[in-house]
Amino acid sequence: METQNNSFNELELDDLRRQINDLKNKVDQQGRLNEDLVKKAIQSKMRSVHSIIWKMAILALVSTPLYIYLHYSAGLSWILVAITFIMLFGILAADYFINRIDISHMGDDLVETANKLVKMKRNRVIGQRIGIGVALIWLVWFCYEYFTVNSAYGPEFAWGSVASVLIGAAVGGFIGLRIFNKMQRTNDEMIDQINELTREQ
């Protein structure tokens, strides 16, 4: 009788061990599934950030003839036109290096990816502050030259021309701020997804 009880207990223990192992396997599979989903999500979000940068680069290239036209039509100096090109492509180069990351390997190491995203956010803020300072200096110079050229048509026309430039700059600044906030928000979403997954683990 005792032997039968021992055999029965061993069968119960084996069954219990099997259930525990099955449960552990399911948990491990679920963890890997969640990690894969987070990896795909952050890769997709980073692609959207890179897409924004490419669109800005195309816009800068398209606007290049405009500043050459302004040299001839509005009398802007070649120095200002050259500095405008340097400023535009400098901003694009900074965006490229700030957001440079191998998307295909994002999420392989979640902690490292989160650290890179935090660093990216910080560098983006620094880049924005420098960019605003440079843009303000450029705007003052641009308005001065534009005002000087249009002064020949009278002060009212000159001030009206400068006002139109300032309105355009304000609209451009607003759009730039929206883009900056969208990129920062995307980074926050990626970091939150990683933090949530690592907490679960």
Side-chain angles (χ1 to χ4, degrees):
M1 187 72 177
E2 187 176 344
T3 305
Q4 288 179 344
N5 286 336
N6 287 339
S7 300
F8 183 73
N9 288 336
E10 285 177 10
L11 288 172
E12 281 187 330
L13 285 172
D14 287 340
D15 188 48
L16 185 59
R17 288 192 193 99
R18 193 162 43 251
Q19 289 178 9
I20 291 171
N21 286 332
D22 289 343
L23 183 60
K24 284 174 66 178
N25 289 334
K26 286 180 181 177
V27 169
D28 290 342
Q29 287 173 358
Q30 187 66 32
R32 283 193 294 272
L33 178 63
N34 288 341
E35 191 169 335
D36 287 342
L37 289 174
V38 168
K39 182 177 176 179
K40 287 178 182 177
I42 61 177
Q43 287 175 348
S44 174
K45 289 179 188 298
M46 199 65 217
R47 282 191 188 93
S48 71
V49 170
H50 284 186
S51 174
I52 291 171
I53 294 170
W54 279 112
K55 287 174 184 175
M56 290 169 60
I58 292 168
L59 184 62
L61 288 173
V62 169
S63 67
T64 298
L66 171 64
Y67 293 102
I68 296 173
Y69 170 77
L70 286 174
H71 164 73
Y72 292 105
S73 65
L76 298 180
S77 67
W78 276 120
I79 296 175
L80 178 58
V81 172
I83 287 175
T84 301
F85 291 154
I86 292 169
M87 182 185 73
L88 283 175
F89 291 103
I91 290 170
L92 289 173
D95 279 341
Y96 171 78
F97 283 106
I98 288 170
N99 297 284
R100 184 179 54 178
I101 192 169
D102 186 356
I103 294 177
S104 62
H105 291 292
M106 280 186 74
D108 289 349
D109 185 331
L110 291 175
V111 175
E112 183 184 354
T113 300
N115 289 335
K116 286 181 179 178
L117 292 171
V118 170
K119 183 179 179 182
M120 195 182 290
K121 276 190 66 182
R122 185 171 62 248
N123 289 340
R124 208 178 278 142
V125 170
I126 294 170
Q128 187 207 37
R129 289 174 180 171
I130 295 171
I132 288 173
V134 171
L136 287 174
I137 294 170
W138 173 86
L139 184 61
V140 170
W141 188 354
F142 187 93
C143 287
Y144 171 76
E145 286 202 11
Y146 209 58
F147 180 83
T148 303
V149 169
N150 287 291
S151 291
Y153 303 101
E156 289 183 2
F157 183 84
W159 282 114
S161 299
V162 170
S164 65
V165 169
L166 292 175
I167 291 170
V171 171
F174 176 75
I175 293 171
L177 185 62
R178 291 279 306 263
I179 292 171
F180 171 81
N181 288 335
K182 182 178 180 180
M183 293 168 78
Q184 293 293 77
R185 190 166 57 248
T186 301
N187 268 52
D188 286 335
E189 290 170 359
M190 289 187 282
I191 293 167
D192 288 343
Q193 284 181 314
I194 292 172
N195 289 338
E196 186 176 345
L197 181 61
T198 52
R199 274 197 304 269
E200 289 176 358
Q201 293 176 344

